[in-house]
Amino acid sequence: MKIGIVCYPTFGGSGVVATELGMALADKDHEVHFITYKQPVRLDLLAKNIHFHEVFVEEYPLFHFQPYELALSTKLVEVVLTHKLEILHLHYAIPHAYAAYMAKKMLTKKGIDIKLVTTLHGTDITLVGSHPTYKAAVEFSISNSDAVTAVSNNLKKDTLRLFNIEIDIDVIYNFIDIDKYSNKKDKECNRTTLANENEKIITHVSNMRPVKRPMDVIEIFYKIQKEIPSKLLLVGEGPEIERLEYRVKELGIYDKVLFLGNSDDVNKVLCYSDVFLLPSMTESFGLAALEAMAAETAIISTNTGGLPEVNINNVTGFLSDLGDVNEMAKNAIFILENNERLETFKANAFKQAKTFSIDKILPLYEGVYQKAIEK
Ligand code: GMT
């Protein structure tokens, strides 16, 4: 098939899913065209069947806001016509599904029936999409897609609760390339470079926005390190970083917390990890948790959104109510204080991660594309 993928190219779950999916499709001989304003961070441009088309937004002093949607829909028309695409796969509804709908209308006038597949990722529904500023446009563009997928049952339920949607939603979970993460036994994964022999390693990976509650990560770790010699690795950058650094200094644990910034080699960092903290306010799926599980790491998370579909309580880790940092710390200590127990949780996490392996998920997307084409 000839597929166009539209996504956010920066660090963030939806961009990662879109990029990994596109690369896996290309590997299976589909022709894949990424259409976005910047090269996606994990994209291997030299790979076979991969193409990238940059969306330029012409700046004009009259515009207070530059019209990205307009530039995107124009680019979509151009790429569909030039490369004879059959499918546009829109990752994150805002504004991609809306811009693609406009492109579809323009293409219809030229006798082309491009099919639109929209994947809902989470905050495009739960935080931003349902806001009155965007709601009508999001509802319209989802309903007018040829197929819609959501990354968890919980997100599907939220979508149907928050919007009046007149189309079926297929649930297709986030996925993982297990081989990329299962490197704990590699020579390269030498944990003594980061922590002493007797120390455990706790990690958190996110874009450090308030929705991820990174301040809870610090509070949980503060309690853990009082009981268990340990280090905290923080991967990612975002608006909360300064406040976190301040709090870490205030608590006197600066020597135990490593701020690593953004990384497109998350797997290399996760290979050191014993326990992963994800105390998010909401999480439609929790790709970060799945990546950690693939790297044989136990998960301490909240029970919000789709997280219970990924992290199984008392098996792969523990789930707690939002903000209950005492319980999350207690659960982490319970896992970490006994090596045999820690190994069991890690092995369970890895086993659960395998159920989301890319070879199981990829055919589901291909099935959705096929259904859309036959519509
Ligand atoms: O919030 C983020 O971390 C970014 C966001 C995105 O759209 O880029 O992630 C969402 O999509 C991921 C991939 O489908 C999901 O695994 C995340 O759970 C989801 N984030 C939230 O719902 C907060």
Side-chain angles (χ1 to χ4, degrees):
M1 278 179 246
K2 292 184 174 208
I3 305 151
I5 291 189
V6 182
C7 65
Y8 282 103
T10 48
F11 294 89
S14 61
V16 170
V17 168
T19 310
E20 302 281 353
L21 173 65
M23 291 197 299
L25 287 164
D27 206 41
K28 279 186 81 181
D29 278 338
H30 296 289
E31 187 178 307
V32 181
H33 295 255
F34 284 86
I35 306 146
T36 180
Y37 58 86
K38 206 170 123 195
Q39 195 183 315
V41 277
R42 291 198 191 176
L43 185 63
D44 177 4
L45 260 186
L46 299 177
K48 198 176 80 173
N49 299 324
I50 293 282
H51 306 266
F52 169 60
H53 309 275
E54 187 167 344
V55 180
F56 295 101
V57 183
E58 190 62 32
E59 303 234 340
Y60 186 65
L62 186 71
F63 298 149
H64 183 61
F65 301 105
Q66 306 305 321
Y68 179 66
E69 291 83 339
L70 225 59
L72 176 60
S73 45
T74 305
K75 192 72 178 179
L76 292 176
V77 170
E78 176 200 313
V79 177
V80 169
L81 287 175
T82 311
H83 298 277
K84 304 195 170 22
L85 302 190
E86 300 160 272
I87 294 276
L88 285 176
H89 190 171
L90 302 323
H91 288 266
Y92 208 88
I94 307 169
H96 303 145
Y98 191 75
Y101 176 78
M102 293 313 295
K104 185 178 171 100
K105 281 285 165 203
M106 289 185 259
L107 287 159
T108 308
K109 288 267 177 217
K110 294 178 190 296
I112 307 286
D113 183 20
I114 186 75
K115 301 296 184 182
L116 306 182
V117 175
T118 299
T119 289
L120 310 173
H121 280 275
T123 49
D124 48 350
I125 295 301
T126 53
L127 286 185
V128 198
S130 50
H131 190 276
T133 318
Y134 303 113
K135 190 173 172 184
V138 173
E139 192 168 79
F140 176 83
S141 42
I142 295 174
S143 292
N144 283 284
S145 301
D146 295 290
V148 178
T149 75
V151 298
S152 66
N153 287 303
N154 186 267
L155 183 60
K156 175 176 175 173
K157 208 172 85 209
D158 278 348
T159 309
L160 296 175
R161 177 173 57 82
L162 294 165
F163 296 94
N164 186 10
I165 302 283
E166 297 146 16
I167 184 169
D168 281 349
I169 300 178
D170 286 306
V171 172
I172 304 185
Y173 284 132
N174 286 176
F175 54 83
I176 196 89
D177 179 352
I178 285 282
D179 297 337
K180 236 199 223 167
Y181 288 84
S182 48
N183 58 355
K184 273 210 152 70
K185 281 139 202 131
D186 276 9
K187 283 201 293 300
E188 269 187 52
C189 186
N190 180 6
R191 49 183 291 146
T192 53
T193 54
L194 287 173
N196 299 328
E197 199 70 34
N198 67 329
E199 284 178 323
K200 297 287 189 257
I201 297 184
I202 321 295
T203 43
H204 171 73
V205 180
S206 77
N207 39 27
M208 305 294 168
R209 288 174 300 151
V211 66
K212 300 287 174 177
R213 306 265 298 203
M215 195 56 88
D216 285 0
V217 171
I218 304 298
E219 302 302 334
I220 298 164
F221 176 70
Y222 180 64
K223 291 172 197 298
I224 296 174
Q225 57 83 43
K226 281 184 176 172
E227 306 286 328
I228 308 271
S230 47
K231 289 261 164 60
L232 173 65
L233 308 187
L234 291 173
V235 181
E237 283 165 16
E240 293 284 277
I241 278 286
E242 261 182 45
R243 270 177 12 96
L244 301 181
E245 285 186 346
Y246 181 82
R247 183 68 180 141
V248 162
K249 280 187 197 136
E250 191 176 59
L251 291 170
I253 52 172
Y254 207 77
D255 57 330
K256 296 183 180 175
V257 181
L258 281 81
F259 289 87
L260 299 177
N262 277 337
S263 166
D264 45 15
D265 271 333
V266 173
N267 53 330
K268 289 200 180 136
V269 179
L270 287 172
C271 85
Y272 303 113
S273 185
D274 292 304
V275 161
F276 186 85
L277 304 178
L278 195 60
S280 305
M281 187 169 94
T282 176
E283 203 66 69
S284 64
F285 179 89
L287 180 62
L290 176 58
E291 291 184 330
M293 286 159 66
E296 296 173 52
T297 303
I299 310 294
I300 296 294
S301 73
T302 44
N303 52 19
T304 56
L307 281 169
E309 294 172 58
V310 184
N311 183 20
I312 310 301
N313 199 49
N314 206 6
V315 177
T316 58
F318 285 100
L319 297 148
S320 297
D321 290 342
L322 176 63
D324 194 344
V325 291
N326 286 331
E327 188 183 278
M328 286 187 254
K330 205 177 87 211
N331 288 337
I333 293 164
F334 173 75
I335 295 176
L336 290 165
E337 68 191 355
N338 178 309
N339 276 335
E340 206 177 309
R341 188 182 298 141
L342 174 61
E343 289 311 315
T344 305
F345 273 91
K346 284 179 169 188
N348 292 346
F350 185 61
K351 191 168 161 213
Q352 165 76 344
K354 284 203 274 194
T355 65
F356 299 98
S357 110
I358 188 157
D359 48 287
K360 295 196 172 73
I361 303 293
L362 194 71
L364 304 180
Y365 278 116
E366 290 176 307
V368 168
Y369 295 160
Q370 198 54 49
K371 218 166 65 185
I373 286 175
E374 283 160 14
K375 213 169 160 182

